Amino acid sequence: MKELLTSIAKERIYSSRKVAILTGAGISAESGIPTFRDKDGLWTKISPEEMANFDAFYKNTQIVSEWYQKRREIIEHTLPNAGHFALRELEHLFPSFHIITQNIDGLHQKAGSEKVIELHGNIMRNYCIDCKKYYELDEFESIYEHTENHIPKCNCGGLIRPDVVWFGEQLPRKALEKAFQTAEEADLFFTIGTSAYVRPAADLPIIALQNGAYVIEINPSKTGLTNFTHLHLQGKSGEILPKLLEEISLNLKQ
Ligand code: APR
């Protein structure tokens, strides 16, 4: 099998102590979850303006709630793929290892990764827009199923929304602060399965670069970030990450 890593990359990886991983929808593609901007992506079928913003939710609560519930039902039955599991194993090979994900599918946690920073929230969590009460999934789904028009309401009367970051909304402050700190302190940074369009997530690899990290991109295509990275591993994360895990674990044990 052709080795993936250049000698410089090996040197940098094997001497790294603080690793940060930024993931996007691409890492969940091989689990069957559509990405957003690929040729068959979500945003090619529906515009984010129609679904993924507060005004749309407030004006068309039933349509938006049903759209998210449909995605939830798909994700509930979706399993992590080899890429997620490889990252879980890599976590144990370095003294400090954090995953910063833009994904709301919870697949990193399902694969057993422990240090996951969810920048854009999690579709399985829901909360009331008035009293901010959080609803566990089963409680939310029983409310959702028992409303005749799928407009889930809190006991206080407020609408219940998914705990995801919509366009135009602030990212969760603690998660964002932790993500920036992790990127600043990293000596090795992977950007995996993201088109690097959406900020502030797309700023993180640049921050890592500016602080001296070695930056590796894993993506079948080139992105706006590719020319700034030290190494672009072209291919699917579900194929590349297990090979990377094999090469790294072999060498770190020696
Ligand atoms: N392995 C790795 N990368 C892949 C794979 C794969 N198997 N399949 C596709 N990709 C890459 C695509 O080439 C693309 O660069 O994943 C990327 C997916 O890009 P987007 O669909 O834009 O998803 P993402 O970058 O996560 O979007 C960021 O935008 O709409 C918002 O909130 C949403 O979190 C999302 C954010």
Side-chain angles (χ1 to χ4, degrees):
M1 174 198 67
K2 181 174 167 304
E3 287 210 323
L4 284 172
L5 299 170
T6 61
S7 50
I8 297 174
K10 284 181 188 170
E11 208 178 285
R12 288 298 303 263
I13 291 172
Y14 304 151
S15 61
S16 294
R17 302 186 55 72
K18 293 191 170 187
V19 182
I21 311 275
L22 173 67
T23 62
I27 196 166
S28 297
E30 289 154 273
S31 293
I33 298 179
T35 63
F36 295 97
R37 297 174 181 84
D38 283 327
K39 61 186 177 337
D40 52 354
L42 270 179
W43 295 154
T44 60
K45 298 185 177 69
I46 213 151
S47 78
E49 289 68 31
E50 284 173 78
M51 287 297 172
N53 72 68
F54 185 80
D55 289 347
F57 171 75
Y58 205 68
K59 282 188 203 119
N60 310 308
T61 311
Q62 179 178 351
I63 296 172
V64 176
S65 297
E66 287 173 344
W67 189 66
Y68 275 92
Q69 185 57 18
K70 212 182 298 169
R71 287 178 69 192
R72 224 174 262 120
E73 284 160 6
I74 294 168
I75 290 170
E76 259 180 308
H77 299 100
T78 302
L79 296 175
N81 62 61
H84 296 101
F85 289 117
L87 287 181
R88 183 208 45 203
E89 295 309 315
L90 279 169
E91 188 171 334
H92 306 306
L93 299 179
F94 295 94
S96 164
F97 187 100
H98 289 83
I99 294 175
I100 304 162
T101 190
Q102 301 170 86
N103 300 339
I104 58 175
D105 55 33
L107 288 183
H108 287 300
Q109 295 92 322
K110 243 186 204 174
S113 286
E114 284 153 21
K115 294 187 190 141
V116 182
I117 300 166
E118 292 180 313
L119 276 187
H120 295 168
N122 186 308
I123 199 169
M124 299 304 174
R125 283 195 308 265
N126 295 273
Y127 68 91
C128 170
I129 63 172
D130 288 347
C131 71
K132 311 298 179 210
K133 174 183 183 312
Y134 269 82
Y135 284 82
E136 288 306 315
L137 187 60
D138 45 7
E139 190 185 5
F140 167 77
E141 288 190 330
S142 76
I143 294 172
Y144 177 88
E145 289 311 328
H146 289 95
T147 52
E148 77 280 0
N149 52 6
H150 290 157
I151 296 186
K153 287 200 175 165
C154 176
N155 317 328
C156 80
L159 292 171
I160 304 175
R161 60 163 285 179
D163 183 20
V164 297
V165 177
W166 278 330
F167 285 94
E169 291 187 327
Q170 294 293 320
L171 274 66
R173 192 177 49 77
K174 282 208 182 105
L176 191 55
E177 283 170 1
K178 180 73 182 154
F180 275 119
Q181 182 195 352
T182 305
E184 279 160 19
E185 294 174 357
D187 43 31
L188 178 62
F189 192 101
F190 283 88
T191 171
I192 304 171
T194 181
S195 58
Y197 268 128
V198 173
R199 303 182 64 185
D203 297 332
L204 295 170
I206 303 297
I207 290 169
L209 268 171
Q210 288 167 343
N211 285 277
Y214 189 79
V215 179
I216 300 174
E217 180 177 50
I218 299 176
N219 196 316
S221 323
K222 291 196 182 269
T223 68
L225 216 52
T226 305
N227 293 337
F228 297 95
T229 63
H230 293 99
L231 180 63
H232 175 74
L233 298 174
Q234 187 151 8
K236 295 181 176 180
S237 46
E239 294 167 7
I240 289 182
L241 282 167
K243 285 186 193 147
L244 213 52
L245 171 66
E246 195 182 337
E247 272 185 48
I248 294 173
S249 42
L250 262 178
N251 286 283
L252 285 186
K253 282 189 185 124
Q254 280 167 359

